[in-house]
Amino acid sequence: MTDKTAKDTAHLTESADTSHAALDPNVMPDFEHMPNVASMDTSHVDKEKPPFILVDGSYYLFRTYHALPKTMMNTQGLTTNAIRGTLNALLKVMRRYNPTHMAVCFDTKSPTFRHTMSEEYKANRPKMDPELAEQIPYIHRLVRALGIPLLRIEGAEADDIIGTLTYRAVEEGHHVVISSGDKDMMQLINDSVILEDSFSGKVVDEQGVEEKYGIKPTQMIDLLTLMGDASDGIKGVPSVGQKTAVKWLNQYDNVDNILANASEIKGKVGEKLIEYADNIPRDKQLATIVTNLEIGQDWDDLRIDTDPTAYIEELRELYTELEFKNELASLAHPNHPANMAANSVADSKAETESQAQVAKTLQNQKQAAIIDIIKDSKAHDQAWHTILDEPAFDSLLQKLSAASHFAVDTETTSIDWREANIVGLSFSLQAHEAYYIPLNHSLEDDELTSKQLDQDKVLAKLKPILENPEIGKIGQNIKYDAHVLRRYGIDLNITPSNWKMDTMLASYVLNAAATRHGMDDLTRHYLHTQTITYEDVAGKGAKQVTFDKVAVDIASDYACEDADITYQLFEVFQEKLKDDAVNQRLLHELEIPVSQILCDMEATGILIKRAFLNELSKRFDEEIGELEKQAYYEAGEEFNLGSPKQLGEVLFDKLGVVGGKKTKSGQYSTGEAVLSKIAHPLAEIALEYRGLSKLKSTYTDALDAVADKDTDRVHTSYHQALTSTGRLSSTDPNLQNIPIRTKTGRLIRQAFIAPEGRVLLAADYSQIELRLMAHFSGDANLTKAFNEGLDIHSATAAEVLGKSVEDVTPTERRNAKAINFGLLYGMSAFGLAKQLEMTRGEAQDYIDQYFKRYPGVRKYMHDTRSNAVDNGYIETILGRKLYTPDINHSNQMVRRGAERAAINAPLQGSAADLIKLAMIAVDKVLPADNAKMLLQVHDELVFEVDADKVDEISELIKNAMQNVLSDTAKEMGWEVDFAVPLLVETGVGDNWDEAH
DNA sequence: GTTGGTACCTA
DNA sequence: GTAGGTACCAACG
């Protein structure tokens, strides 16, 4: 790297990087005289100069390979996630420190002294994925093409190179930034050395180590020695973890002292310490990062090549091959330093400046050049502001009122909207720019808290802007913000006109399976960076504080980032949606309106009869106690009836009941399917016990606990961007799995009631998924059955068995029902046989017969499977694309699973589309004063309705639901000619059981 | 205190 | 055989 004149870039692609000779793995480092970086005297270090940057390249390539989506690839199929991630990390650290000296260090494949020392060393690590291995040469080339020195020394690890260089740099008066996220590196931290992870953004200094571990960096090696690290072959002392190790180190300072005082240490751990004392010297050597490698060194080798023109062709080539479009475009930009520098040479010559002056001008430009390449290629300075005075607030208000659109985010005291109080608001009007208005921070000793603007005044002025549909708002999971702000008198009114985008819903509509849709996930997946986490600013576990107890300046960064990221995500999704009318419609016409409806339903809640639930609880409790007694009598001993493990042992080992099957984890299987076949009183008791304790713990007790103390209403939360098929899910509590099948279970439903003067109304789509099957398959027999209004399972039985519908017996109907459901689930003969308790052959005959009568269904299933294989996705009735990533998986089990899911997805997903349409259709016509929508249970909507209006409202709802495709969907731009009628059944009652 | 396994509730 | 959520135990740190 010393040859700065070479414009020929050929050498960049070679694998030899350095002039350093390889190290012999059989020669041990000189541990005896190894300098300890953590305890160095650093008084001579000049902190005014830029730091030396030592990058642990191997860390970034592994970390980013595993953290970023593997779907990131160029059109040639080359995975690029680690290349991109490592590149971003390098650029980030360079932007931050503007260094003159830097090295990116990598491990090599050659063995090192550690392999010689320990057979286990890294033996536990699986072979590197080929998708990662193929990226490594590109990363090396990229580093060199950016003019950054790259170090790989055979026989040495990146850690040890960094350790050695860190020691030498500090000795010579430079401070050092080690760019890595590996905790082993903490042993190198001192007053002049910090550790910075450019991927996670975490920075650790001397104080940071103490805060995290409660020990000094000088004690890190000893900590690792005691704790052990399986992946590094360090055995450590068994049963000693971080807690114990830190305790000992605080008491005795170091490992030698701990060993000297081992006899004082009591208990099992003390014995282990003595037992394993002999291993400790070796473990300590393994844990030590070498700081005195025998490598030559010339700081000039680590000087960043600041000539921007040097490798521009190589960079251009690389970016082209990798298809890094933004980076490539930046190279062509007239402001690019490479182009500017070239111009400057020409200009200077024209003006016949002296050679010295030319050189100086060039040098000055070179100084900034490499940094500018980076800034131009991606980076932007963040402009984040905290609003703490009236003029700043007024200026922000001006900008917001004049904007066509902006991103907004609320910071609160809780992730649960029901108890969230507002702490502050953040806004972003363009990428990389954001504003935070702190309102209710209350951390003591934070002088900024006293400067916060008045909440009521701020909200009063923001209200007209937030409610103004002329200004498009952008948010991430708007429903949450809407819940919070409605308590402060602001109606966010989630409509397509007031909201330009919900980034969570946009991501979900575009690809429900690509990632989860929380802000952190979206940032990683779509922006390829990492956000400050809530844990970073508020701590974690028991020590976590609410957001109002976070210092204003720290909170401001977090909040500004949220708004900024939301805006950036908006730009990404806007681009993706630009020419995608279907997904635009799904987002704006379907999901966004549904979001508002869900917000209202959640806020309304459903009334429960508390006293009745308490009564049930008590009753169940008594019966459970009785069952326990009987069980102990049967078993001849007391045991925990709720433990499947103990029950299995008592039943099969102690009592010698036959028919015990083991699960894969080696314990007896005691599931319902097993117990119900066992003719022993204990099995029966256990089943009854389980049923009752499930009802009590999951329903009677839980519902009572979550109901609002004042109103007796239960408010669930619907997740709109979670399932792989487009369904909703419900939590805290889950109101989509309230019992219905058994008589006792239905008692729980009776606790859901309507207030005085109202009744509950349930409206559900009849056989919606089978109707969708009829529609999609176009099968003549299936369509005919629905068009004639037949009972579908009886019709199936009649068809398959070749008899008339009237002659179908209940068993025959039951079997037909099983096959109908099996079809929806992509069943196999094996699965059906198990369900119907027949042989596999019989099941196969039944299936064959079915397909003979319903050939359209067979074709549909075949076509769906091949669509999934060809396109990588299937589509629902409204054109929602549901991706099937595992459809070509190499593992047959996984692949078959993906095939079944692919067959089910269009049916389940289309049913989900339809009920969402139905919610919108019903919401439009429902008279708000007389009725409220309360719950959605996949194919059912539950309402409370004024008792004296129930007949007309019931008709209204039924019509709206049955006509969603011909009316509502059509108005929105969907043309669907549905092959069979949509039938809705309604029921009314004083409670949910009666209404169903 | 967190995590995996088992069991069981729904459409 | 599809899609979810919750509770409990037992083991682990």
Side-chain angles (χ1 to χ4, degrees):
Chain A
M1 289 312 248
T2 49
D3 181 8
K4 297 289 193 278
T5 58
K7 295 278 150 91
D8 172 10
T9 57
H11 69 282
L12 289 171
T13 58
E14 290 165 18
S15 62
D17 327 290
T18 72
S19 52
H20 301 293
L23 299 182
D24 182 343
N26 293 311
V27 176
M28 287 300 120
D30 182 2
F31 285 106
E32 203 61 15
H33 302 101
M34 189 171 292
N36 184 306
V37 174
S39 57
M40 284 174 88
D41 172 20
T42 60
S43 53
H44 63 294
V45 173
D46 177 3
K47 294 210 175 155
E48 297 301 309
K49 290 186 299 192
F52 280 21
I53 310 287
L54 301 173
V55 182
D56 181 354
S58 296
Y59 164 75
Y60 286 111
L61 67 96
F62 278 101
R63 175 80 207 267
T64 59
Y65 173 71
H66 287 108
L68 298 174
K70 313 258 187 301
T71 47
M72 221 185 258
M73 50 173 73
N74 71 2
T75 50
Q76 302 301 303
L78 170 75
T79 310
T80 56
N81 65 345
I83 305 175
R84 180 137 241 155
T86 307
L87 174 64
N88 282 343
L90 289 174
L91 301 186
K92 204 163 158 187
V93 73
M94 291 176 79
R95 273 202 302 282
R96 181 158 173 149
Y97 292 104
N98 201 353
T100 55
H101 291 72
M102 179 163 174
V104 184
C105 307
F106 289 95
D107 297 334
T108 68
K109 280 186 224 157
S110 324
T112 70
F113 74 91
R114 289 195 174 84
H115 295 91
T116 311
M117 268 179 75
S118 156
E119 295 203 344
E120 295 91 2
Y121 184 67
K122 296 201 172 162
N124 298 331
R125 300 201 177 167
K127 199 170 162 6
M128 186 187 286
D129 289 0
E131 289 81 10
L132 174 55
E134 68 183 3
Q135 296 187 66
I136 293 176
Y138 288 92
I139 293 173
H140 290 170
R141 283 172 62 191
L142 208 46
V143 170
R144 294 193 197 94
L146 287 165
I148 309 171
L150 184 155
L151 279 176
R152 292 193 308 158
I153 302 176
E154 291 195 5
E157 281 176 43
D159 289 20
D160 301 324
I161 303 173
I162 290 173
T164 302
L165 292 176
T166 302
Y167 171 70
R168 293 183 190 173
V170 174
E171 207 181 29
E172 293 182 25
H174 305 283
H175 62 126
V176 173
V177 173
I178 298 175
S179 179
S180 174
D182 189 341
K183 71 172 188 324
D184 295 356
M185 293 285 192
M186 289 188 187
Q187 60 184 272
L188 298 174
I189 290 175
N190 65 32
D191 187 44
S192 293
V193 179
I194 61 166
L195 183 62
E196 175 163 338
D197 181 344
S198 294
F199 186 71
S200 72
K202 292 200 172 81
V203 181
V204 186
D205 56 10
E206 247 179 343
Q207 212 186 336
V209 175
E210 296 201 46
E211 278 167 20
K212 192 165 160 62
Y213 291 100
I215 56 166
K216 297 197 159 50
T218 48
Q219 297 170 299
M220 277 308 296
I221 297 174
D222 290 7
L223 179 70
L224 293 170
T225 306
L226 292 167
M227 282 172 63
D229 181 342
S231 68
D232 284 346
I234 305 171
K235 295 208 175 97
V237 181
S239 76
V240 171
Q242 190 185 316
K243 283 260 166 69
T244 311
V246 167
K247 196 175 79 189
W248 288 350
L249 285 169
N250 280 322
Q251 196 174 347
Y252 300 108
D253 188 63
N254 60 54
V255 162
D256 293 338
N257 266 335
I258 292 169
L259 284 177
N261 294 288
S263 52
E264 284 179 20
I265 296 170
K266 305 230 156 40
K268 267 258 148 55
V269 278
E271 290 167 26
K272 293 271 184 200
L273 177 63
I274 292 164
E275 186 183 341
Y276 287 85
D278 289 350
N279 285 343
I280 285 184
R282 192 206 65 138
D283 282 347
K284 187 165 173 179
Q285 292 186 350
L286 281 172
T288 301
I289 291 178
V290 177
T291 56
N292 59 355
L293 281 185
E294 297 279 332
I295 51 174
Q297 158 246 306
D298 173 354
W299 291 129
D300 268 349
D301 286 350
L302 301 192
R303 194 174 277 283
I304 292 173
D305 188 345
T306 52
D307 180 354
T309 59
Y311 311 119
I312 192 165
E313 284 313 315
E314 169 76 0
L315 263 183
R316 205 188 304 277
E317 228 171 77
L318 270 166
Y319 288 158
T320 307
E321 187 179 350
L322 295 168
E323 296 163 19
F324 286 4
K325 298 199 182 80
N326 290 339
E327 286 78 0
L328 187 60
S330 76
L331 292 180
H333 196 278
N335 284 342
H336 189 280
N339 302 326
M340 278 173 54
N343 297 340
S344 143
V345 175
D347 290 349
S348 310
K349 276 187 181 152
E351 287 166 24
T352 61
E353 284 180 72
S354 75
Q355 283 298 314
Q357 269 177 315
V358 172
K360 201 177 165 207
T361 314
L362 209 52
Q363 190 55 44
N364 285 343
Q365 288 183 345
K366 281 176 185 175
Q367 283 297 320
I370 190 76
I371 301 305
D372 286 350
I373 291 182
I374 292 153
K375 286 194 173 165
D376 237 44
S377 68
K378 194 73 198 165
H380 303 266
D381 279 325
Q382 284 155 357
W384 290 350
H385 312 278
T386 314
I387 305 289
L388 289 161
D389 56 56
E390 294 285 345
F393 179 53
D394 287 340
S395 148
L396 175 60
L397 278 175
Q398 289 248 309
K399 288 190 185 117
L400 295 176
S401 351
S404 67
H405 57 273
F406 61 79
V408 55
D409 186 46
T410 43
E411 301 301 339
T412 68
T413 51
S414 168
I415 44 169
D416 181 350
W417 56 268
R418 285 159 291 197
E419 49 192 61
N421 293 320
I422 196 159
V423 180
L425 286 162
S426 58
F427 298 91
S428 172
L429 293 106
Q430 58 179 14
H432 311 291
E433 178 186 304
Y435 302 85
Y436 180 57
I437 314 175
L439 294 173
N440 288 318
H441 287 266
S442 58
L443 180 69
E444 280 174 43
D445 298 332
D446 179 6
E447 69 251 34
L448 291 184
T449 55
S450 62
K451 297 191 181 168
Q452 293 175 106
L453 295 173
D454 179 71
Q455 171 197 295
D456 293 344
K457 282 186 196 155
V458 167
L459 292 182
K461 286 192 174 168
L462 286 170
K463 180 178 160 80
I465 300 175
L466 290 171
E467 293 181 353
N468 179 0
E470 302 291 308
I471 306 169
K473 264 73 72 180
I474 299 153
Q476 161 72 13
N477 189 12
I478 310 165
K479 174 155 71 72
Y480 176 83
D481 303 83
H483 271 304
V484 174
L485 287 173
R486 80 188 283 155
R487 292 223 320 273
Y488 295 83
I490 295 176
D491 180 3
L492 286 187
N493 191 17
I494 312 173
T495 57
S497 57
N498 202 27
W499 287 88
K500 210 167 163 67
M501 185 180 289
D502 184 325
T503 48
M504 178 182 83
L505 297 179
S507 169
Y508 184 67
V509 159
L510 283 163
N511 187 340
T515 167
R516 293 186 309 171
H517 307 279
M519 177 119 72
D520 295 351
D521 306 284
L522 296 184
T523 309
R524 227 175 298 130
H525 193 263
Y526 290 104
L527 303 177
H528 317 306
T529 56
Q530 184 126 327
T531 51
I532 314 165
T533 67
Y534 187 75
E535 286 183 358
D536 289 336
V537 299
K540 65 172 178 176
K543 283 189 291 184
Q544 191 167 74
V545 295
T546 49
F547 201 71
D548 54 321
K549 302 293 181 197
V550 175
V552 172
D553 56 343
I554 296 173
S556 181
D557 273 355
Y558 178 85
C560 284
E561 184 178 72
D562 274 5
D564 183 350
I565 292 278
T566 304
Y567 196 95
Q568 292 182 45
L569 288 168
F570 157 73
E571 290 185 328
V572 170
F573 294 135
Q574 190 79 335
E575 180 64 26
K576 285 182 188 287
L577 288 167
K578 196 175 60 184
D579 303 310
D580 187 345
V582 172
N583 276 325
Q584 276 185 38
R585 199 149 58 211
L586 279 168
L587 174 62
H588 296 291
E589 306 283 331
L590 195 77
E591 299 295 356
I592 286 180
V594 162
S595 172
Q596 175 65 58
I597 295 169
L598 291 174
C599 186
D600 295 339
M601 290 162 69
E602 291 172 354
T604 307
I606 184 165
L607 188 65
I608 58 164
K609 218 199 274 181
R610 259 226 157 81
F612 180 73
L613 279 177
N614 291 331
E615 192 72 23
L616 278 180
S617 255
K618 219 188 280 170
R619 225 177 84 194
F620 290 160
D621 213 23
E622 283 161 14
E623 288 178 44
I624 285 169
E626 199 54 44
L627 288 164
E628 274 171 346
K629 268 192 220 155
Q630 291 176 25
Y632 300 156
Y633 173 78
E634 291 294 339
E637 64 171 315
E638 296 206 358
F639 68 104
N640 185 346
L641 193 46
S643 161
K645 193 173 169 226
Q646 293 184 32
L647 175 65
E649 283 159 11
V650 168
L651 210 47
F652 300 112
D653 288 340
K654 181 162 185 206
L655 300 178
V657 172
V658 289
K661 273 186 295 187
K662 300 245 176 152
T663 65
K664 51 191 159 207
S665 64
Q667 56 172 298
Y668 288 109
S669 169
T670 63
E672 201 265 340
V674 175
L675 293 189
S676 58
K677 287 199 198 89
I678 290 173
H680 190 285
L682 183 54
E684 207 178 313
I685 293 165
L687 279 176
E688 214 175 319
Y689 170 90
R690 284 213 188 128
L692 286 175
S693 43
K694 171 82 181 173
L695 290 177
K696 179 169 146 60
S697 63
T698 313
Y699 300 108
T700 56
D701 289 353
L703 286 171
D704 182 68
V706 295
D708 188 296
K709 296 284 167 283
D710 300 324
T711 63
D712 282 3
R713 281 181 173 262
V714 175
H715 306 265
T716 184
S717 290
Y718 288 105
H719 294 220
Q720 202 182 343
L722 186 139
T723 70
S724 57
T725 56
R727 271 192 181 180
L728 304 176
S729 81
S730 155
T731 57
D732 308 303
N734 181 357
L735 295 185
Q736 291 181 320
N737 72 344
I738 302 303
I740 191 166
R741 290 186 220 268
T742 67
K743 198 159 171 242
T744 324
R746 276 199 298 276
L747 290 171
I748 312 279
R749 271 188 188 232
Q750 293 170 14
F752 289 82
I753 54 173
E756 195 66 40
R758 289 194 158 178
V759 289
L760 285 185
L761 187 157
D764 65 273
Y765 279 114
S766 159
Q767 304 296 355
I768 182 109
E769 293 187 6
L770 281 172
R771 284 172 202 265
L772 282 158
M773 172 80 92
H775 169 75
F776 282 129
S777 69
D779 183 274
N781 266 333
L782 200 54
T783 311
K784 189 163 141 256
F786 279 121
N787 280 326
E788 287 176 0
L790 299 178
D791 172 274
I792 193 61
H793 303 312
S794 301
T796 303
E799 195 67 52
V800 172
L801 301 171
K803 48 165 72 174
S804 74
V805 176
E806 298 81 55
D807 297 339
V808 172
T809 68
T811 307
E812 287 164 351
R813 184 179 183 278
R814 189 179 71 87
N815 288 357
K817 188 173 171 178
I819 198 170
N820 278 333
F821 276 99
L823 286 167
L824 303 178
Y825 300 153
M827 71 171 174
S828 62
F830 178 78
L832 185 69
K834 211 161 100 185
Q835 179 77 23
L836 290 181
E837 293 178 339
M838 49 170 74
T839 68
R840 214 189 133 152
E842 286 167 334
Q844 189 60 56
D845 289 347
Y846 198 88
I847 292 171
D848 290 344
Q849 191 59 29
Y850 178 94
F851 282 136
K852 216 176 266 174
R853 304 305 303 160
Y854 298 98
V857 173
R858 162 176 278 170
K859 182 172 186 310
Y860 166 76
M861 295 180 61
H862 176 265
D863 291 350
T864 305
R865 213 179 276 127
S866 51
N867 274 334
V869 171
D870 295 347
N871 306 324
Y873 61 83
I874 55 83
E875 281 184 33
T876 67
I877 195 161
L878 297 187
R880 187 193 300 267
K881 290 187 171 73
L882 300 177
Y883 290 83
T884 54
D886 288 336
I887 201 76
N888 290 316
H889 200 280
S890 56
N891 179 329
Q892 181 180 238
M893 280 258 287
V894 177
R895 192 171 62 249
R896 296 259 184 256
E899 284 173 6
R900 290 191 297 271
I903 287 169
N904 176 258
L907 305 165
Q908 191 182 119
S910 298
D913 286 350
L914 291 187
I915 192 105
K916 282 177 176 170
L917 279 175
M919 292 166 73
I920 295 170
V922 172
D923 183 67
K924 268 191 198 147
V925 298
L926 203 65
D929 292 341
N930 307 108
K932 284 224 154 74
M933 198 184 301
L934 304 179
L935 302 176
Q936 190 254 46
V937 194
H938 308 309
D939 65 359
E940 172 188 8
L941 296 174
V942 180
F943 305 83
E944 62 177 44
V945 183
D946 281 349
D948 55 353
K949 298 251 168 53
V950 69
D951 289 340
E952 54 182 288
I953 290 176
S954 173
E955 271 310 293
L956 213 60
I957 290 170
K958 185 170 174 167
N959 283 329
M961 288 176 75
Q962 292 189 155
N963 299 326
V964 277
L965 284 171
S966 50
D967 297 350
T968 317
K970 199 171 227 168
E971 284 164 28
M972 297 176 180
W974 277 289
E975 290 286 347
V976 180
D977 194 9
F978 206 59
V980 295
L982 280 178
L983 183 68
V984 169
E985 289 166 346
T986 57
V988 175
D990 287 331
N991 63 60
W992 194 4
D993 184 32
E994 279 178 28
H996 202 278

